[in-house]
Amino acid sequence: MEPEGERRTSGGRRRNRRRQNRNRRFRQGNGESNPDFGSDGVQNENKTPQSGTLKVFLEKQVIKNNGLKAENNKKRGIVNDIVSGAVAAGTPRSCPVTSLRNWMDGSTTTDSLHKKQIQTLDCSKKRCLGSVMMNDGMKHPLTLRSREDLLANAKDFIDQYYASIKSSDTEDHKNRWTEVVDAITTSGTYDLTLDELTFGVKTAWRNAPRCIGRIQWSKLKVFDARHVKTTKEMFEAICRHLEYSTNNGNIRSAITVFPPRTSGRQDFRVWNTQLIRYAGYRQSDGDVVGDPANVEFTEVCEALGWNGRGGMFDVLPLVLSAGDGDPDLYELPEDLVLEVEINHPQYPWFEGLGLKWFAVPAVSAMLFDCGGLEFTAAPFNGWYMGTEIGARDFCDAARYNVIERVALKMGLNTGANSSLWRDRALVEVNVAVLHSFQLAGATIVDHHTASESFIQHMQNEQRLRGGCPADWVWVVPPMSGSQTEVFHQEMMVYKLKPSYEYQEDAWKVHVWKNKEMEQRYLQTSRKSLTKAQTKAVASHVNCVILYATETGRSERFARRLCQTFKRAFTTRVVCMEDIDLTELQQQDLILVVTSTFGNGDGPENGEVLAKSLDKLRYSEKGNTNTGTGNSSTNNASKTSSKPLQNIRYGVFGLGSRAYPHFCAFGHFLDSLLGDLGGQKILETGEGDELSGQDQSFKTWAHHAFKASLAVFNVDSDMDVTNLAGDLSSSDDTWTPDKFSIEELPDWEEEDLCTVLGRLHQKTVVSCRVLERRQLQSTTSPRQTILVRIETNSATSMKYKPGDHVAIFPSNSPELVEAILSRLHDAPPVGQIMRIKMKEETTMEGKSVVWDKLPSSSLRTAFTRYLDVTTPPTQDFLKVLSTLTDRNRDKDRLELLTTDTHVYEEWRDTNAPTLLEVLKEFPSLRVPATLLLTQLPLLKQRYYSISSSNDANAGEVHATVAVLKYTTQGGVNHEGVCSGWLNRLKIGDVIPCAIRAAPNFRLPEDKTLPVMMVGPGTGIAPFRSFWQQRQVDMARGHIPSNANRQGWGDMRLYFGCRASSQDHIYHSELTAMKKQRVLNDYYVALSREPGRPKMYVQDMLQQHAKGVYNTMVKAGGHIYICGDVEMADNVKQTLERILSEHGKLTLEAAREYVRQLRNENRYHEDIFGVSQKKAEVKESTRDQAKPVGKEESATLKQSKSFGGNGKATPFQRPNRKKMSGRNRKFRNRICS
């Protein structure tokens, strides 16, 4: 067992490595040439600065100079003072951490080389700039060095050179230093000898901390071009360089050094960041043809008179300036640019992507800093590491970004991050690059070999120099990092001289001599910017559309919204559970689409983010009061410290007016975003499930898009005429030629529970029916059943009292067969098949697998996976209207599509299933692909568990009201799940899952009283409560707490119609009361012959004193289970009781109930109905339960709710992520 201190250290290092790993995605910037091997081998302008793995500061260093001639002692003494002072003044103290460990083999080394550093880093004790791409501190100064600095750097370099040839302190060394001092003293500069220059460029490469390929440092070929005077001579020297380096593909590393900076900053510059680069052409819509990394320089070239062809891979001209002259353009000869066509060894279609890349990576915009001399033009090259091209140039989102195109052609599922489609496609792109270069005979190295060579280099350097500066963030390759040894090697970042340094782009600092050329440059640049300015700005606006959903509808709306917003902005759709605060703060525009259900609660996959935002809001000083964030006063009061102050936002809420807190979660999110500084671009939209939700969404989305264009100053003339089309479609919208069916004769059906688990992102277990018992009497016209389910003791089926069981039902076989018989152009119903989809990015005639529906037979798909009973949407009817050749059918369908009032009347009157729609419009010729791709998934139904796991090991019990009803149109319907369960036989399979309900649990303090209110099947969870209490009491332990001892009082208020018909669990209740498990239970009868109607709230009023004592004096817990209207009536009754017996005003009583919720003592497990509000009010309320269609039965909840006068989302602990489709209906509604 390791010592505690060591474990902490190791853990810290592991955490640090994880942090570094996260930063690796910023590594190497645009990825042109990772300083790999030569040009790649030094700090490239496209790379990211040092990571801060280990920031090292060097100790003070005193330069000794004892070899000066006696007659010059005085002058030399002054020089010595200057040199020593200049170095010491800028030298920080040494870093105490010098021990570096290799976590793969456990070896440890000590770095002493860092003590020779004479240049500080930009990081500090409190700040690490390890993942910063570039800042001003990283760029070499534009001004010429002072003589003092020049002397100090010259002394350091000359000493290094003579030490390298083992001639330190020799006469040659002393004489050379005398020459240098004399030259600097006389002229302000000096010249390097060719040997010194050669030593300097090689050592600079050796010192480059960001280069993984430095093992080749001693083999760098030097071309001395310090004699050139003109840009033509520069061009000729560069051509010689490229000819040597290319070497017919056998790449050789080389550097060409042009004259150094002189007084007046008469710099020689290569304006290109690399000698060979591809142009990037900005389009009017903000898109880029070619390489996006080079857009600005391409426009510079165009301003100087170059006319590109507008292609994806146009080689840019060289732009060169000599001394103080203006730049000249030179086209590179084609025979000097070796390009490699990219193809794949296994995928023939890869060649069709049209990718290619140049073979010689020659960095040309960096400054060579040697001995105090600044060589502003010193292009150098090595050869490529494959990932520079494959991972960075081709696959980075800000570069050619081919990753998704490749994934689609590979048939990968790009809709789910968990499919790892990016990783798989990335590997194949890199395979293609390595394969193509090798096939073309062009030198390249894979990242594993490069890693091994770098480890060898570090070992060599440790032996020869006592250390090796290395930047972990840059050295670790951009893919498969942990599979390379460099990932496991600790490294130390420090800067030695000589070095290669970043410098400002030449065109940004050039002082123009030719005013006509300058004007042409400015005019062309201005014209280019004016042409694309607004849309280019918009394309850099990061818009994220967040959704939170229980049924999948909010996600569908969010994806439709994306179709519109991606016209102008960089837009993506993200589930709220998949984004954190840090990423949220990086956005420019946030749009939220979320549902609300229960008593104002949000979907489960929206709770974590909402909780984080709420916590952040209350941590903000002075922000404890909830605000709306939509008034000028509110905005004006925001302080500069608001975390979301730079973000614009809009919210659309979905809900049902059958609930008391309509769209409350949407408004709550609006409040949070506003309080945290967000600026709202339009009022929060509301979509009522009972009336015109689709149209409300489309109207809001249209206004949101126009408001966003105005806020971000995007072209006012942008075409917004077809927004309705965007808002009715998504990437999966059906068209006749988009989807096809592929028959799979040799395939077998997948395991049902495995498929359901994948579709719904849950652990689905194959369970079996142990018993199906009718609970109501045979004289009752209705049915309620108890279903006992065997779980096979599966771990994932463990539960606690109050939790829910998810049951995945089947559609009626008769209904399915009738639909199948009406399909057009369908395969045999028993044949295994899958859906394929054409994409714009695929080659003609090619399709990709559409994996949102599993491979199966048509019969299985319509029986187990697709919802065929929910009334179709207007958008679905619009598609159907194109598939009929009968005018009457077509006209009727178009009317339903365009007139929302007519549609809602038709939907609410008939509640038509898919089969009834096909019967109503008999001329429809419906392709199988339309239904397979556009019907919603058949959702699981949730039931409160009616058993205790301790009392019934390996079993789950569900209490189910069997739904049978007649529509207003006179058609008989039954509930999908309840009807299916009522037909099952003993031993039949039921796919099940468990959903925890942590806020509908018995109190931990068992001495506290428990009051349960549940009419009808609302009794279901309370059966699990009394069973658990019975088990606990049987164990013999008597609970106690402070002033209380013994079991807390447990009472049930139950409601039903008549005692002879639906008093379910009557015998159990009698037994529980007899055993003192229940202290008492009370039954409200609403249809008992000879007695007045009584509901549970009336029964509570009759026992008001005891109810008051439970709530107030005894500190008890109240549990309510049933429909939303009943729950509201019970709440009002409790408030009246509090007012009457506690002498409180009604408002004070309401506040008391809110406080009970906040204390998690007021628990509600409620559901509602999706009917028009008027119909809800007029519906028969037996046992305080509404009548309604099962498929419209609203979401089952298990919550306790916060107060403060507005809906507060329930704070649920973070559980395993679940799909938005996981929770929808609870089928416990009586007919």
Side-chain angles (χ1 to χ4, degrees):
M1 190 176 202
E2 11 175 47
E4 188 67 31
E6 186 174 341
R7 288 205 303 273
R8 286 197 298 269
T9 302
S10 299
R13 286 171 176 163
R14 284 193 293 270
R15 288 191 296 274
N16 194 37
R17 185 177 299 110
R18 287 195 295 269
R19 180 169 63 252
Q20 295 158 355
N21 193 26
R22 289 197 299 271
N23 288 338
R24 274 208 322 282
R25 62 191 177 113
F26 300 108
R27 181 180 58 257
Q28 299 177 2
N30 292 322
E32 268 9 59
S33 31
N34 161 4
D36 268 348
F37 295 86
S39 91
D40 264 41
V42 193
Q43 304 168 347
N44 170 2
E45 80 283 6
N46 293 320
K47 306 296 185 169
T48 310
Q50 57 270 17
S51 75
T53 48
L54 289 172
K55 301 301 180 189
V56 180
F57 301 101
L58 55 110
E59 297 174 339
K60 287 188 177 182
Q61 174 177 260
V62 179
I63 298 178
K64 298 180 179 180
N65 180 28
N66 298 319
L68 300 180
K69 295 182 180 179
E71 60 269 24
N72 292 321
N73 276 344
K74 182 177 181 180
K75 181 170 68 174
R76 300 296 180 257
I78 296 172
V79 171
N80 286 339
D81 291 341
I82 291 173
V83 172
S84 300
V87 175
T91 306
R93 64 182 177 83
S94 174
C95 175
V97 181
T98 59
S99 180
L100 304 177
R101 181 174 180 179
N102 185 306
W103 289 85
M104 180 175 286
D105 61 19
S107 62
T108 302
T109 59
T110 300
D111 189 298
S112 60
L113 181 62
H114 71 279
K115 297 180 180 180
K116 296 183 179 179
Q117 176 176 247
I118 63 173
Q119 180 177 340
T120 61
L121 300 175
D122 293 323
C123 298
S124 67
K125 287 183 178 180
K126 297 182 178 180
R127 180 194 65 187
C128 171
L129 301 178
S131 62
V132 176
M133 169 69 67
M134 178 65 65
N135 61 37
D136 291 339
M138 298 175 187
K139 295 179 180 178
H140 199 78
L142 294 172
T143 56
L144 194 66
R145 273 197 172 102
S146 67
R147 292 194 180 188
E148 292 81 1
D149 285 343
L150 178 57
L151 278 166
N153 282 271
K155 174 60 177 171
D156 177 66
F157 173 71
I158 295 298
D159 287 350
Q160 286 189 57
Y161 171 71
Y162 279 94
S164 71
I165 60 175
K166 302 188 186 316
S167 299
S168 295
D169 293 328
T170 62
E171 283 302 312
D172 288 343
H173 181 188
K174 297 172 184 177
N175 291 338
R176 175 57 177 151
W177 175 238
T178 300
E179 292 174 6
V180 170
V181 171
D182 288 342
I184 294 174
T185 305
T186 303
S187 63
T189 187
Y190 72 105
D191 292 322
L192 297 174
T193 67
L194 180 57
D195 288 340
E196 290 168 351
L197 179 67
T198 301
F199 168 76
V201 295
K202 292 181 178 181
T203 304
W205 184 8
R206 188 183 190 183
N207 291 338
R210 295 181 175 180
C211 173
I212 193 175
R214 280 177 276 165
I215 199 168
Q216 299 284 333
W217 68 272
S218 63
K219 299 177 183 178
L220 183 63
K221 172 68 175 178
V222 181
F223 292 99
D224 187 359
R226 290 177 291 171
H227 60 281
V228 304
K229 303 296 184 185
T230 65
T231 59
K232 182 180 180 181
E233 291 176 314
M234 289 181 69
F235 175 67
E236 291 170 349
I238 289 172
C239 289
R240 286 193 297 271
H241 178 136
L242 286 175
E243 184 177 17
Y244 171 84
S245 296
T246 304
N247 193 29
N248 294 320
N250 186 17
I251 310 301
R252 297 181 288 198
S253 55
I255 184 170
T256 297
V257 183
F258 292 106
R261 173 174 289 170
T262 59
S263 58
R265 219 186 80 230
Q266 297 179 353
D267 295 345
F268 283 70
R269 292 294 301 270
V270 179
W271 289 33
N272 311 58
T273 53
Q274 289 190 36
L275 295 181
I276 304 172
R277 295 279 282 187
Y278 292 127
Y281 304 98
R282 197 194 314 270
Q283 306 300 295
S284 60
D285 62 358
D287 287 341
V288 174
V289 173
D291 193 340
N294 302 324
V295 167
E296 184 177 3
F297 183 64
T298 300
E299 292 172 350
V300 170
C301 294
E302 290 174 331
L304 297 177
W306 181 70
N307 292 314
R309 297 190 301 272
M312 292 291 289
F313 297 97
D314 295 346
V315 177
L316 286 161
L318 287 175
V319 181
L320 310 174
S321 57
D324 59 355
D326 286 329
D328 293 312
L329 273 68
Y330 296 89
E331 291 280 2
L332 281 168
E334 291 185 6
D335 61 344
L336 291 182
V337 181
L338 176 59
E339 297 180 283
V340 177
E341 305 286 342
I342 306 299
N343 53 66
H344 195 281
Q346 294 177 332
Y347 298 130
W349 49 259
F350 206 100
E351 187 176 1
L353 296 174
L355 300 178
K356 63 178 178 179
W357 206 256
F358 49 89
V360 178
V363 174
S364 54
M366 299 190 77
L367 180 146
F368 170 45
D369 186 359
C370 181
L373 301 177
E374 300 158 303
F375 297 88
T376 52
F380 56 87
N381 77 275
W383 51 81
Y384 272 117
M385 181 170 72
T387 52
E388 298 178 78
I389 305 171
R392 308 307 314 281
D393 298 324
F394 285 157
C395 293
D396 271 6
R399 300 297 301 287
Y400 280 85
N401 195 21
V402 303
I403 190 77
E404 188 168 6
R405 292 172 59 197
V406 172
L408 290 172
K409 286 180 177 292
M410 291 174 63
L412 303 179
N413 173 19
T414 60
N417 289 335
S418 59
S419 71
L420 302 184
W421 62 270
R422 292 182 180 87
D423 308 75
R424 296 163 66 185
L426 182 66
V427 169
E428 297 307 327
V429 173
N430 281 272
V431 168
V433 169
L434 292 172
H435 166 76
S436 301
F437 267 67
Q438 291 164 0
L439 196 65
T443 305
I444 197 168
V445 67
D446 65 88
H447 53 291
H448 295 285
T449 302
S451 171
E452 293 170 1
S453 73
F454 184 75
I455 293 296
Q456 183 61 55
H457 172 69
M458 286 193 71
Q459 294 170 355
N460 294 343
E461 291 293 88
Q462 185 66 37
R463 176 172 49 85
L464 295 173
R465 295 207 293 175
C468 177
D471 191 333
W472 189 95
V473 167
W474 281 60
V475 170
V476 175
M479 65 177 282
S480 308
S482 65
Q483 295 303 303
T484 62
E485 189 172 353
V486 291
F487 180 91
H488 305 277
Q489 174 64 58
E490 292 180 343
M491 302 176 191
M492 184 179 292
V493 181
Y494 48 93
K495 298 185 71 172
L496 301 175
K497 296 294 181 181
S499 65
Y500 296 101
E501 303 289 342
Y502 298 108
Q503 56 183 336
E504 192 62 77
D505 293 325
W507 60 89
K508 295 179 180 177
V509 297
H510 182 71
V511 179
W512 295 87
K513 303 299 183 294
N514 186 326
K515 295 303 177 183
E516 183 180 349
M517 180 181 288
E518 179 183 20
Q519 196 62 27
R520 187 169 71 246
Y521 161 71
L522 294 174
Q523 289 176 352
T524 305
S525 299
R526 195 175 297 119
K527 180 180 179 181
S528 176
L529 288 173
T530 301
K531 181 179 179 181
Q533 180 180 10
T534 55
K535 291 183 181 178
V537 169
S539 70
H540 289 86
V541 171
N542 291 320
C543 171
V544 63
I545 300 174
L546 301 177
Y547 69 86
T549 182
E550 292 288 343
T551 69
R553 176 166 293 188
S554 294
E555 179 181 1
R556 291 194 293 273
F557 279 7
R559 297 197 181 282
R560 292 180 189 176
L561 192 62
C562 182
Q563 294 295 107
T564 294
F565 273 76
K566 71 182 184 182
R567 288 184 174 205
F569 307 105
T570 301
T571 307
R572 60 195 179 103
V573 177
V574 180
C575 180
M576 282 180 63
E577 68 179 352
D578 294 327
I579 195 168
D580 58 24
L581 290 175
T582 301
E583 188 175 359
L584 202 66
Q585 290 174 292
Q586 297 171 358
Q587 308 306 313
D588 302 300
L589 175 62
I590 299 172
L591 301 170
V592 182
V593 183
T594 182
S595 59
T596 298
F597 58 99
N599 202 26
D601 298 283
E604 185 173 354
N605 54 17
E607 290 173 355
V608 172
L609 181 62
K611 182 177 180 180
S612 298
L613 291 173
D614 199 27
K615 183 178 180 181
L616 180 62
R617 174 174 64 174
Y618 283 98
S619 69
E620 290 290 307
K621 185 177 180 180
N623 252 353
T624 55
N625 295 323
T626 301
T628 62
N630 61 350
S631 68
S632 59
T633 303
N634 194 27
N635 286 335
S637 67
K638 300 183 189 305
T639 68
S640 60
S641 63
K642 296 286 186 179
L644 302 182
Q645 64 179 359
N646 296 320
I647 291 174
R648 269 72 168 181
Y649 75 93
V651 179
F652 184 81
L654 289 77
S656 169
R657 293 193 185 276
Y659 287 92
H661 300 289
F662 177 58
C663 292
F665 188 64
H667 288 289
F668 178 74
L669 291 176
D670 171 26
S671 167
L672 286 176
L673 294 171
D675 287 345
L676 291 172
Q679 301 175 52
K680 185 158 63 176
I681 61 173
L682 81 167
E683 290 303 313
T684 296
E686 296 178 341
D688 184 7
E689 184 183 11
L690 306 181
S691 178
Q693 191 174 74
D694 275 16
Q695 188 56 48
S696 298
F697 168 71
K698 291 176 182 178
T699 301
W700 176 86
H702 185 95
H703 292 319
F705 185 61
K706 294 184 71 175
S708 300
L709 296 180
V711 166
F712 292 101
N713 298 315
V714 181
D715 279 346
S716 58
D717 62 349
M718 176 173 284
D719 179 21
V720 294
T721 57
N722 194 35
L723 292 186
D726 287 348
L727 294 169
S728 298
S729 66
S730 66
D731 293 337
D732 296 327
T733 300
W734 183 87
T735 57
D737 60 348
K738 187 173 186 177
F739 294 94
S740 61
I741 291 177
E742 179 185 15
E743 296 185 24
L744 304 169
D746 298 327
W747 287 40
E748 296 182 356
E749 296 264 16
E750 285 188 82
D751 175 71
L752 175 63
C753 290
T754 300
V755 173
L756 290 172
R758 188 166 65 243
L759 281 176
H760 300 279
Q761 297 294 298
K762 294 187 71 66
T763 301
V764 181
V765 176
S766 179
C767 302
R768 294 188 180 276
V769 178
L770 285 175
E771 179 187 11
R772 177 173 53 83
R773 183 200 315 167
Q774 296 293 337
L775 297 177
Q776 297 197 34
S777 72
T778 56
T779 62
S780 174
R782 297 167 298 116
Q783 288 181 300
T784 302
I785 59 176
L786 169 66
V787 183
R788 289 178 54 221
I789 302 168
E790 182 184 27
T791 66
N792 298 314
S793 299
T795 303
S796 61
M797 292 296 292
K798 300 295 184 184
Y799 60 91
K800 293 184 178 180
D803 287 349
H804 306 144
V805 59
I807 295 179
F808 297 80
S810 264
N811 288 312
S812 162
E814 295 78 17
L815 177 63
V816 169
E817 293 303 321
I819 292 172
L820 293 176
S821 68
R822 287 169 168 78
L823 293 184
H824 173 66
D825 194 22
V829 295
Q831 173 66 59
I832 308 299
M833 51 85 200
R834 65 183 177 188
I835 308 299
K836 304 199 76 175
M837 177 179 66
K838 286 185 180 179
E839 285 284 353
E840 295 178 358
T841 54
T842 60
M843 297 174 62
E844 186 175 355
K846 298 289 185 180
S847 298
V848 296
V849 175
W850 190 75
D851 63 353
K852 296 186 179 179
L853 192 72
S855 301
S856 68
S857 67
L858 277 177
R859 180 176 284 114
T860 299
F862 280 89
T863 302
R864 304 307 304 235
Y865 305 141
L866 297 174
D867 184 350
V868 297
T869 61
T870 297
T873 65
Q874 285 182 288
D875 289 333
F876 186 79
L877 294 177
K878 184 176 182 180
V879 177
L880 291 184
S881 70
T882 66
L883 301 175
T884 177
D885 53 8
R886 184 178 178 185
N887 289 337
R888 186 173 67 180
D889 287 349
K890 188 178 186 67
D891 292 345
R892 175 64 173 164
L893 284 167
E894 289 181 347
L895 178 63
L896 291 171
T897 297
T898 55
D899 191 320
T900 300
H901 176 74
V902 173
Y903 166 75
E904 290 177 352
E905 187 66 28
W906 171 79
R907 179 197 65 191
D908 297 333
T909 300
N910 301 316
T913 65
L914 175 62
L915 177 60
E916 289 159 9
V917 172
L918 297 178
K919 288 180 177 180
E920 184 176 350
F921 303 101
S923 64
L924 284 172
R925 292 171 60 83
V926 180
T929 56
L930 170 63
L931 301 183
L932 291 169
T933 59
Q934 304 305 301
L935 287 177
L937 292 177
L938 180 59
K939 308 299 188 302
Q940 66 270 36
R941 273 58 169 171
Y942 282 93
Y943 297 91
S944 291
I945 294 175
S946 299
S947 58
S948 161
N949 195 59
D950 290 342
N952 302 273
E955 294 184 19
V956 170
H957 299 180
T959 304
V960 181
V962 179
L963 177 63
K964 295 180 180 179
Y965 67 100
T966 301
T967 67
Q968 295 181 37
V971 180
N972 293 325
H973 283 182
E974 74 171 2
V976 172
C977 192
S978 62
W980 175 67
L981 289 172
N982 201 35
R983 293 190 297 271
L984 291 179
K985 298 180 175 59
I986 305 303
D988 284 349
V989 172
I990 303 182
C992 294
I994 295 296
R995 182 183 71 186
N999 283 271
F1000 201 83
R1001 298 267 174 80
L1002 286 167
E1004 292 183 10
D1005 184 351
K1006 297 175 182 178
T1007 66
L1008 292 173
V1010 171
M1011 185 175 75
M1012 304 171 289
V1013 182
T1017 52
I1019 197 174
F1022 303 134
R1023 185 172 185 258
S1024 72
F1025 282 15
W1026 74 61
Q1027 285 189 2
Q1028 186 63 47
R1029 172 64 66 87
Q1030 185 182 29
V1031 171
D1032 291 343
M1033 292 176 69
R1035 289 169 176 164
H1037 174 71
I1038 305 299
S1040 62
N1041 183 18
N1043 300 324
R1044 297 185 303 273
Q1045 186 169 1
W1047 296 98
D1049 192 77
M1050 180 177 277
R1051 296 175 186 269
L1052 171 69
Y1053 293 83
F1054 174 64
C1056 62
R1057 287 188 175 188
S1059 58
S1060 62
Q1061 289 186 348
D1062 58 351
H1063 188 179
I1064 60 177
Y1065 298 124
H1066 175 261
S1067 60
E1068 282 193 42
L1069 289 170
T1070 302
M1072 293 301 104
K1073 181 178 179 180
K1074 185 176 181 180
Q1075 297 174 30
R1076 300 298 297 167
V1077 172
L1078 287 176
N1079 294 81
D1080 211 342
Y1081 67 91
Y1082 312 97
V1083 182
L1085 301 171
S1086 62
R1087 295 292 187 274
E1088 186 76 3
R1091 295 176 60 175
K1093 289 185 177 182
M1094 178 173 286
Y1095 300 104
V1096 286
Q1097 59 265 31
D1098 303 321
M1099 187 64 70
L1100 288 169
Q1101 190 67 56
Q1102 282 190 2
H1103 297 82
K1105 184 176 180 180
V1107 169
Y1108 176 81
N1109 288 338
T1110 297
M1111 284 194 296
V1112 178
K1113 295 185 177 181
H1117 285 242
I1118 297 92
Y1119 297 85
I1120 301 167
C1121 182
D1123 77 84
V1124 64
E1125 189 173 357
M1126 178 278 301
D1128 188 57
N1129 288 334
V1130 167
K1131 182 178 75 70
Q1132 292 180 31
T1133 300
L1134 295 177
E1135 289 169 353
R1136 285 196 300 271
I1137 291 173
L1138 285 168
S1139 177
E1140 293 167 2
H1141 290 263
K1143 309 302 181 184
L1144 301 174
T1145 65
L1146 279 176
E1147 181 55 39
R1150 294 188 190 100
E1151 181 59 36
Y1152 191 88
V1153 171
R1154 284 194 289 267
Q1155 185 62 33
L1156 290 178
R1157 285 172 169 163
N1158 290 337
E1159 295 172 359
N1160 204 22
R1161 290 174 50 209
Y1162 192 95
H1163 314 263
E1164 291 178 304
D1165 185 352
I1166 65 174
F1167 54 90
V1169 294
S1170 290
Q1171 298 175 322
K1172 290 183 178 179
K1173 195 170 184 179
E1175 295 171 353
V1176 172
K1177 291 181 177 179
E1178 294 169 3
S1179 63
T1180 302
R1181 294 187 59 249
D1182 298 312
Q1183 313 118 25
K1185 261 191 190 296
V1187 178
K1189 180 176 178 291
E1190 176 191 41
E1191 298 317 301
S1192 295
T1194 47
L1195 308 155
K1196 180 174 186 347
Q1197 300 307 310
S1198 180
K1199 310 273 186 180
S1200 62
F1201 306 95
N1204 297 326
K1206 50 182 69 178
T1208 303
F1210 156 68
Q1211 307 298 302
R1212 177 180 291 154
N1214 187 12
R1215 301 197 300 274
K1216 180 179 179 181
K1217 293 182 178 180
M1218 296 191 291
S1219 163
R1221 293 173 174 161
N1222 280 358
R1223 304 194 296 176
K1224 188 174 182 183
F1225 301 117
R1226 178 175 179 208
N1227 306 315
R1228 299 187 299 137
I1229 300 179
C1230 301
S1231 60

